[in-house]
Amino acid sequence: MGKRHFVLAAGGTGGHIIPAFALATELKKRGHYVALITDERGAAIPGTFEGDEKHILPAGRFTKNPLGWFAAAQNIWRGRAMARRLYESFNPEAVIGFGGYPALPAVLAALKDDIPCAVHEQNAVLGRVNRLLASQVDAIAAAYKQVGRLKDKYLGKTHLIGNPVREEVSILRSQPFPALSEEGIFRVLVTGGSQGASILSNVVPDGLALLPLSFRRRMQVTQQCREEDIERVRDRYADLAIPADLATYLPDLPERLGWAHIVIARAGASTIAELTTAGRPAILVPLPIATDDHQTANAREMEASGGARVIKQSHFTPAELAKQMQKLGLEPEALMNAAGRARNAGYPNATRDLADLVERLGQGLGGEAIPAGQPSGLRTAVQGAS
């Protein structure tokens, strides 16, 4: 097929950057060149796009305050002009947006220059930027069978892909679930996403304290905490005599996930993708202020499969956590079953399938979705919600 150029445009959070990075890794393996458009936060996320061409563009953000709309529009216009100049020299075959406001000027520039475009939606609800672009792009890559705010008229160009994950996580799928005997160490991984989550620091140690002493003595915890919470949480685990490794950032998260028996986490798109790829049972606490409550929607498939228990934040108390932990963790066979069900809810070929879709963009993919069962492995999303 030959070497080709692709531009990936993503917002500055891990939820946007990580699937973009996974795609970039696959495209480079296939011999292509990749450039990233993002903001300063996205360019600084460790372990991603190191050595790759990166461009930081101004990107306006429309808030509820109309006073800022004019400045936001100006920044988007400036960003679009800068992206068009980049495309003159980089000459991309396609531009792929991963949502977030930094992706907007990049995709708008590609549309202006008649460069094929796709957007990838990580969440189970179509995000604001992707909603703005849905009518104009050539293809929409979805991570879930049901995508809220995706209009029915766009289903013909929507492909069920899943969320690409890092190679280190993909490798876990071929490894067995960590051995667990009734007397063996029980490893718990607690993560609140890239920013941490104080609610987990407040509730998890006290919830584990309510477990039977025989169960608690077997526990080993790894927990991501916000900086302002970490010493308090460390002291609490010490009081409980539970070995705990705490950090504000876990650079080796895939390795930690590999030996975890259960994960307590938010329900961000990347978290769900990693759990279902690796096959790890979870207790999920969706972020209640997430736009369109998309984290609750993200957790729906994994919960329905039996791979996760979902607790609303308003109900997330030490007593409720202890109850769910005992249901999942006290019997090794039940935990193994939950792990298998989590694994069955995953989309392990998401990175490959998205790369296939991207390669086809420059070859006149057009607006027709690829039906299930085609050699590419792409699957058509079956339901949207207007």
Side-chain angles (χ1 to χ4, degrees), residues 293-353:
D293 196 22
H294 67 252
Q295 287 205 1
T296 297
N298 289 349
R300 190 180 295 131
E301 284 186 21
M302 190 176 178
E303 181 183 28
S305 75
R309 306 270 175 145
V310 178
I311 307 174
K312 290 177 62 174
Q313 182 163 306
S314 58
H315 298 160
F316 187 57
T317 63
E320 181 63 22
L321 174 61
K323 182 174 76 173
Q324 299 300 336
M325 282 287 293
Q326 289 186 81
K327 286 181 178 179
L328 274 174
L330 280 178
E331 296 182 14
E333 187 175 345
L335 195 69
M336 290 278 290
N337 288 338
R341 290 170 179 171
R343 191 176 187 276
N344 290 339
Y347 297 90
N349 298 320
T351 304
R352 181 201 70 190
D353 289 348

Side-chain angles (χ1 to χ4, degrees), residues 180 184-188 215 218-220 261-262 325 329 335:
L180 180 65
I185 294 175
F186 187 91
R187 297 185 179 91
V188 181
F215 189 18
R218 299 167 47 210
M219 285 196 167
Q220 181 175 315
H261 294 109
I262 194 168
M325 282 287 293
L335 195 69

Side-chain angles (χ1 to χ4, degrees), residues 72-121:
Q74 279 190 315
N75 279 332
I76 291 170
W77 194 260
R78 284 176 52 226
R80 191 188 80 148
M82 291 171 66
R84 293 187 71 190
R85 289 196 293 274
L86 166 64
Y87 299 161
E88 287 178 5
S89 58
F90 192 72
N91 193 27
E93 292 237 356
V95 174
I96 302 87
F98 284 82
Y101 281 98
L104 182 56
V107 178
L108 290 175
L111 293 168
K112 178 67 175 177
D113 291 344
D114 294 324
I115 298 170
C117 295
V119 293
H120 178 269
E121 179 54 60

Side-chain angles (χ1 to χ4, degrees), residues 126-142:
L126 202 64
R128 290 174 183 169
V129 167
N130 285 347
R131 290 202 299 270
L132 286 171
L133 298 169
S135 65
Q136 303 174 71
V137 297
D138 299 292
I140 299 168

Side-chain angles (χ1 to χ4, degrees), residues 75-287:
N75 279 332
I76 291 170
W77 194 260
R78 284 176 52 226
R80 191 188 80 148
M82 291 171 66
R84 293 187 71 190
R85 289 196 293 274
L86 166 64
Y87 299 161
E88 287 178 5
S89 58
F90 192 72
N91 193 27
E93 292 237 356
V95 174
I96 302 87
F98 284 82
Y101 281 98
L104 182 56
V107 178
L108 290 175
L111 293 168
K112 178 67 175 177
D113 291 344
D114 294 324
I115 298 170
C117 295
V119 293
H120 178 269
E121 179 54 60
Q122 299 87 50
N123 293 302
V125 180
L126 202 64
R128 290 174 183 169
V129 167
N130 285 347
R131 290 202 299 270
L132 286 171
L133 298 169
S135 65
Q136 303 174 71
V137 297
D138 299 292
I140 299 168
Y144 296 91
K145 293 176 183 177
Q146 296 185 4
V147 182
R149 297 224 173 185
L150 175 64
K151 294 182 178 179
D152 288 345
K153 63 183 178 181
Y154 303 142
L155 291 180
K157 60 179 178 181
T158 299
H159 308 262
L160 179 56
I161 298 288
N163 266 318
V165 298
R166 294 168 287 182
E167 284 184 295
E168 303 96 310
V169 176
S170 295
I171 291 169
L172 298 177
R173 194 169 180 86
S174 61
Q175 299 176 4
F177 187 73
L180 180 65
S181 67
E182 292 186 2
E183 301 299 324
I185 294 175
F186 187 91
R187 297 185 179 91
V188 181
L189 174 63
V190 186
T191 174
S194 57
Q195 302 301 314
S198 287
I199 186 70
L200 300 182
S201 295
N202 295 338
V203 172
V204 173
D206 290 345
L208 300 186
L210 298 177
L211 293 169
L213 183 60
S214 59
F215 189 18
R216 202 167 71 224
R217 282 176 171 168
R218 299 167 47 210
M219 285 196 167
Q220 181 175 315
V221 176
T222 296
Q223 183 161 345
Q224 178 203 14
C225 301
R226 289 184 174 178
E227 189 171 354
E228 61 267 28
D229 297 327
I230 195 165
E231 290 307 320
R232 171 175 57 84
V233 176
R234 183 174 283 120
D235 290 343
R236 180 61 173 141
Y237 280 124
D239 290 342
L240 296 169
I242 296 177
D245 183 7
L246 310 182
T248 56
Y249 176 69
L250 299 172
D252 57 347
L253 184 62
E255 181 181 345
R256 309 273 187 160
L257 181 63
W259 54 245
H261 294 109
I262 194 168
V263 179
I264 304 171
R266 288 296 197 190
S270 290
T271 297
I272 299 287
E274 290 175 351
L275 290 170
T276 55
T277 297
R280 293 297 180 271
I283 294 172
L284 301 173
V285 186
L287 177 67

